[in-house]
Amino acid sequence: MSLQKFLKDKKYHSIKLKRTVTNHFEIKAKINGVEGKFILDTGASNTCVGLNEIEKFSLETEDSEHKAAGAGTLEIDTQISKNNKLKIGKYKEKDFTLVLIDLSHINNALKKQHAKEINGIIGADVLEKANAVIDYKKKKLYLLNKK
């Protein structure tokens, strides 16, 4: 039995992944009904959107004591936004918390490599909640809605 059939039988939803020129997987997702471009990052603990995306995604934010850190960066100030709706393909989260960070350094690096800017990062919080399975060969992400 193929992985695809096995996961389909278990009620997983498949989402196509697009490999970027920077060798990341890009994924489309909706936050509060608005579509954006995200990088799938298994090493990111939280799903993040750029601080400049507050209006686009209709986010209500509050300051956070949490500091974000990434490869090659110092601590970054963050904000959080609670009670959001996240949709990736047929996968849905109704009461989702996002971390907002300055993504300009990431988008500047992407632009230098002639890649398109992103609105955010899909992190391990979503992948864990959705029991995610990544099929690297077929470039598919499988997510399971909780009942």
Side-chain angles (χ1 to χ4, degrees):
M1 177 184 298
S2 72
L3 176 64
Q4 188 172 1
K5 176 151 179 30
F6 175 79
L7 293 172
K8 188 174 182 179
D9 289 349
K10 299 281 184 190
K11 306 290 187 228
Y12 275 79
H13 303 289
S14 72
I15 298 104
K16 284 185 180 182
L17 298 172
K18 178 184 171 189
R19 178 115 31 206
T20 67
V21 295
T22 58
N23 217 21
H24 292 96
F25 278 131
E26 183 181 284
I27 190 168
K28 289 182 179 172
K30 287 185 179 181
I31 296 173
N32 300 326
V34 179
E35 189 172 272
K37 277 195 284 187
F38 296 80
I39 284 180
L40 185 66
D41 187 348
T42 60
S45 54
N46 296 98
T47 296
C48 307
V49 295
L51 283 167
N52 60 326
E53 307 288 0
I54 293 170
E55 283 184 35
K56 176 180 176 130
F57 293 117
S58 302
L59 303 175
E60 291 185 29
T61 64
E62 55 189 72
D63 288 333
S64 169
E65 297 295 317
H66 181 75
K67 299 282 186 185
T73 61
L74 301 173
E75 288 186 341
I76 302 167
D77 289 330
T78 66
Q79 292 184 355
I80 59 170
S81 178
K82 298 177 181 174
N83 304 316
N84 295 290
K85 292 181 181 132
L86 173 70
K87 189 169 188 271
I88 304 171
K90 292 180 181 176
Y91 175 79
K92 296 176 184 175
E93 272 297 322
K94 288 183 182 165
D95 186 16
F96 193 72
T97 299
L98 294 162
V99 176
L100 286 89
I101 63 171
D102 180 1
L103 291 176
S104 60
H105 62 289
I106 292 171
N107 278 321
N108 288 336
L110 290 170
K111 279 195 274 188
K112 285 180 184 175
Q113 295 186 46
H114 307 289
K116 293 179 181 171
E117 291 187 23
I118 59 165
N119 303 106
I121 296 164
I122 301 295
D125 54 346
V126 170
L127 301 176
E128 187 175 352
K129 256 186 194 172
N131 291 338
V133 176
I134 301 171
D135 184 338
Y136 285 90
K137 188 173 185 176
K138 295 204 169 149
K139 296 184 185 89
K140 289 204 174 180
L141 171 67
Y142 294 91
L143 301 175
L144 181 65
N145 281 316
K146 301 287 184 189
K147 298 206 171 156

